């Protein structure tokens, strides 16, 4: 009957309304992970753990930029649900691509929790930075300078103290501690990478599909 057919059609369209956001998020997740793995391949370090941890910093920054776009374009409820889902899936997919298949589950769980904790910490840092690039060049106070600092720290394994205010641009670097932060050349090189990835992913296009 026409009523039964109408019911079938409603179920059909309701199904796609419910699954479309998930498809969009999965596609965006794949793009974020692939970009991060490409960046990892550019890191000249033979230590797999160091290179995977350093490249994870790109994933954290990209997720932060996704969060900014979601906050601007979506309702609070949608932003919370979609961003939480995307964060968990993206971090899980990234470390799964970096680990050997035979890695024990307890180690996988520990690594996942560590990456999630690091991401939450980066969210706090990046939220204090004034902008992605800064007014003229990515220097202290910009997210790109902070990103370069975190990559540098992961690669050289040094633990630096009292860096948050410098990264936020609230305190100037002194000549004595300049060596503890990325050089002009390093920040410039990272900027080229980041902007190319951001342009290729086209985050805002995906977020608009979720509205």
């Amino acid at each position: 009957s026409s009523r039964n057919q109408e019911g079938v059609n409603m179920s059909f369209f309701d199904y796609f309304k419910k699954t479309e956001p998930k498809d969009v998020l999965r596609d965006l997740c794949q793009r974020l992970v692939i970009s991060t793995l490409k960046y990892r391949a550019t890191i000249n370090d033979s230590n797999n753990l160091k290179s995977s941890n350093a490249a994870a910093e790109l994933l954290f920054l990209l997720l932060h930029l996704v969060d900014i776009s979601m906050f601007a374009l979506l309702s609070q409820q949608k932003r919370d649900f979609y961003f939480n889902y995307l964060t968990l899936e993206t971090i899980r997919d990234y470390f799964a691509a970096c680990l050997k298949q035979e890695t024990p589950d307890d180690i996988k769980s520990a690594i996942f929790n560590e990456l999630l904790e690091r991401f939450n910490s980066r969210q706090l840092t990046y939220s204090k930075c004034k902008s992605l690039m800064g007014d003229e060049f990515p220097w202290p106070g910009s997210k790109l300078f902070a990103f370069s600092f975190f990559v540098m720290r992961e690669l050289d394994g040094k633990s630096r103290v009292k860096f948050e205010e410098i990264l936020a641009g609230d305190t100037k670097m002194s000549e004595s501690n300049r060596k503890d932060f990325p050089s002009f050349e390093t920040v410039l090189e990272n900027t080229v990478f980041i902007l190319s990835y951001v342009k290729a992913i086209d985050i805002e296009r995906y977020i608009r599909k979720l509205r």
Side-chain angles (χ1 to χ4, degrees), residues 126-143:
Y126 289 136
S127 67
K128 297 175 184 176
C129 296
K130 311 300 185 293
S131 63
L132 179 63
M133 286 191 62
D135 295 333
E136 298 179 1
F137 182 80
W139 212 233
S142 71
K143 300 179 196 294

Side-chain angles (χ1 to χ4, degrees), residues 35 39 58 61-62 65 131-134 136-138 143-144 147 187-203:
S35 294
Y39 176 66
L58 172 62
L61 177 57
L62 291 175
L65 297 179
S131 63
L132 179 63
M133 286 191 62
E136 298 179 1
F137 182 80
K143 300 179 196 294
L144 282 171
F147 162 80
V187 178
L188 180 59
E189 182 179 357
N190 284 331
T191 298
V192 173
F193 276 120
I194 300 303
L195 295 183
S196 65
Y197 291 139
V198 170
K199 182 178 180 181
I201 295 171
D202 196 1
I203 292 171

Side-chain angles (χ1 to χ4, degrees), residues 4-61:
N4 289 339
Q5 184 63 45
E6 182 180 352
V8 171
N9 289 339
M10 286 299 294
S11 298
F12 179 82
F13 286 116
D14 284 347
Y15 174 80
F16 275 92
K17 284 179 182 178
K18 291 176 182 177
T19 57
E20 184 181 4
K22 189 173 182 179
D23 293 337
V24 173
L25 291 169
R26 284 302 305 168
D27 194 6
L28 179 56
C29 173
Q30 290 176 0
R31 286 177 174 267
L32 295 175
V33 172
I34 289 172
S35 294
T36 305
L37 292 173
K38 285 182 178 179
Y39 176 66
R40 184 190 178 196
T42 69
I43 297 175
N44 186 24
D45 196 296
S46 58
N47 187 305
N48 288 331
L49 180 59
K50 282 187 177 182
S51 65
S52 61
N53 278 331
E57 295 297 337
L58 172 62
L59 185 61
F60 300 153
L61 177 57

Side-chain angles (χ1 to χ4, degrees), residues 61-76:
L61 177 57
L62 291 175
L63 282 170
H64 176 73
L65 297 179
V66 168
D67 192 21
I68 291 175
S69 186
M70 283 188 173
F71 186 81
L73 298 173
L74 303 179
S75 67
Q76 184 68 43

Side-chain angles (χ1 to χ4, degrees), residues 32-192:
L32 295 175
V33 172
I34 289 172
S35 294
T36 305
L37 292 173
K38 285 182 178 179
Y39 176 66
R40 184 190 178 196
T42 69
I43 297 175
N44 186 24
D45 196 296
S46 58
N47 187 305
N48 288 331
L49 180 59
K50 282 187 177 182
S51 65
S52 61
N53 278 331
E57 295 297 337
L58 172 62
L59 185 61
F60 300 153
L61 177 57
L62 291 175
L63 282 170
H64 176 73
L65 297 179
V66 168
D67 192 21
I68 291 175
S69 186
M70 283 188 173
F71 186 81
L73 298 173
L74 303 179
S75 67
Q76 184 68 43
Q77 184 178 13
K78 282 188 175 182
R79 176 266 167 199
D80 291 345
F81 181 80
Y82 292 150
F83 187 67
N84 288 340
Y85 173 85
L86 182 68
T87 298
L88 296 176
E89 288 296 304
T90 305
I91 291 177
R92 184 179 292 110
D93 284 1
Y94 172 68
F95 84 76
C98 294
L99 293 177
K100 294 181 179 179
Q101 191 171 2
E102 61 271 20
T103 303
D105 289 341
D106 58 336
I107 294 180
K108 289 181 180 179
S109 179
I111 292 174
F112 174 77
N113 290 331
E114 179 187 343
L115 288 175
L116 189 59
E117 184 177 340
R118 279 174 57 197
F119 169 66
N120 289 331
S121 176
R122 298 298 178 268
Q123 281 282 75
L124 292 175
T125 299
Y126 289 136
S127 67
K128 297 175 184 176
C129 296
K130 311 300 185 293
S131 63
L132 179 63
M133 286 191 62
D135 295 333
E136 298 179 1
F137 182 80
W139 212 233
S142 71
K143 300 179 196 294
L144 282 171
F145 181 82
F147 162 80
S148 297
F149 168 79
F150 288 125
V151 171
M152 176 182 173
R153 191 175 66 165
E154 289 299 328
L155 290 175
D156 67 21
K158 294 180 180 178
S159 179
R160 296 168 176 80
V161 296
K162 298 182 180 179
F163 59 83
E164 288 287 350
E165 290 186 353
I166 292 177
L167 295 185
D170 296 330
T171 300
K172 291 185 177 181
M173 284 188 295
S174 64
E175 288 301 321
S176 61
N177 65 16
R178 186 176 294 274
K179 67 181 183 303
D180 293 325
F181 292 88
S183 66
F184 176 90
E185 291 78 14
T186 298
V187 178
L188 180 59
E189 182 179 357
N190 284 331
T191 298
V192 173

